[in-house]
Amino acid sequence: MKIASIATILFGSAAAFTTTTPFHHETSTVSNTFLKAVELTPEPEGGEELTKVSETSLPGSRMKNMGLVEEDNPDGDIYNFWLTAVANGDEIKKLRIQTEKEASKKANFPGFRKGQIPPYAQPKMTMFAIQEAVIKTCEASLEAYGLQSLQGSQGEVNVNEDMQEVCKGYKLGNDIPFTATYKGKFDAAVQAASEEGHDTAAMEDVVVDVEAVAE
C-alpha cells in the first residue's frame, strides 16, 4: 500500500510525507468547550460511507467517498475522499518530547545556555508535534479504509481546521479531532481480500443456519 507518497499536506514538512508546502486551512471559529480546539468544519452532504478494512484500525474515524474525479486512469479510478479522525494525544505528547530532545542537541540561542530551548520556541515544537501526529493519522486512514495515495500535486491533503488556532492554549496530551479531504484510489488487492473475507463470513452464516434447521 502506498502510504509514504500521500504527499503535499499540512504545515510544511513531514517525515513520512514529501511536502514542503504551507499548511492549507479554512477559516474556523474557536470552541470554548475543547481547550481552544477549532470547531470542526461541517460534514459535507452526500457521499458514500466507507467501511473499515479492519474494525480495530483508526478508532473514532469515518471516511466518505465523495465521488469520482477521474476514471479510466491507467493506475485506477481516482476519487475524492472526506475524512474525520482524531490525532491521538499520547502520540502528540510522545512526539513533542522527542522533538524537544532532538532540538536541544543543536540549540544555541543567544542569551541562553547551549542546549536550552527558549520559551518563544516552545510553541513551534508543539506545532511540529501536532503536525506529525496529524500526518500519521492521515497515513493510517489509507490503510484503515483500503486506499492508495496519489503522487505529486494530486496527492495534496487539505486539513480543514486551523491548527495554529488549535495550538493556542493546547494542553499537551489531549486528543485533536480534525477533518480532511484528499484524492486517492482504492487499493485493489486490499479491497479484493476484504470482499473475499465478507463472502467467507456470509457462507459460514448460511452453514450455521442450515445446521440449525436440521436440528
Side-chain angles (χ1 to χ4, degrees):
M1 184 176 299
K2 300 177 182 177
I3 293 179
S5 61
I6 193 168
T8 344
I9 175 181
L10 308 180
F11 314 68
S13 69
F17 287 68
T18 57
T19 177
T20 54
T21 57
F23 181 69
H24 186 162
H25 66 266
E26 297 178 357
T27 303
S28 304
T29 58
V30 175
S31 169
N32 293 324
T33 61
F34 188 75
L35 294 172
K36 283 281 187 178
V38 175
E39 184 176 315
L40 294 183
T41 301
E43 177 179 342
E45 295 183 0
E48 177 186 357
E49 192 90 18
L50 299 187
T51 302
K52 293 180 187 176
V53 174
S54 170
E55 294 183 2
T56 59
S57 57
L58 206 62
S61 69
R62 290 174 52 227
M63 179 80 79
K64 291 169 68 173
N65 177 1
M66 300 306 297
L68 188 65
V69 176
E70 181 182 342
E71 60 182 337
D72 299 327
N73 185 290
D75 295 324
D77 294 343
I78 297 175
Y79 298 85
N80 272 323
F81 295 100
W82 173 87
L83 169 71
T84 180
V86 177
N88 183 269
D90 290 338
E91 179 70 16
I92 296 172
K93 186 175 182 178
K94 176 183 174 182
L95 289 166
R96 176 64 173 78
I97 294 171
Q98 180 181 336
T99 300
E100 184 166 3
K101 183 178 179 180
E102 292 298 319
S104 65
K105 295 178 181 179
K106 301 178 181 180
N108 190 13
F109 293 88
F112 295 86
R113 68 176 184 272
K114 189 174 181 179
Q116 183 179 8
I117 308 296
Y120 63 79
Q122 297 289 339
K124 293 182 180 180
M125 289 190 292
T126 300
M127 170 65 87
F128 182 81
I130 291 174
Q131 163 190 328
E132 291 297 300
V134 171
I135 287 170
K136 288 177 181 292
T137 306
C138 288
E139 286 183 321
S141 74
L142 293 171
E143 187 170 359
Y145 293 93
L147 306 177
Q148 284 187 337
S149 61
L150 304 179
Q151 298 285 347
S153 61
Q154 282 193 310
E156 180 176 344
V157 177
N158 177 51
V159 175
N160 298 312
E161 289 69 43
D162 186 343
M163 290 298 162
Q164 293 186 18
E165 285 295 325
V166 172
C167 283
K168 295 178 182 178
Y170 171 70
K171 184 177 179 180
L172 196 61
N174 277 19
D175 293 343
I176 296 181
F178 68 94
T179 65
T181 56
Y182 60 78
K183 296 176 183 177
K185 301 178 295 183
F186 287 102
D187 188 316
V190 173
Q191 295 295 325
S194 179
E195 290 176 5
E196 182 178 345
H198 290 155
D199 291 342
T200 301
M203 290 178 64
E204 290 175 350
D205 290 341
V206 171
V207 172
V208 171
D209 289 342
V210 171
E211 291 176 348
V213 171
E215 292 177 359

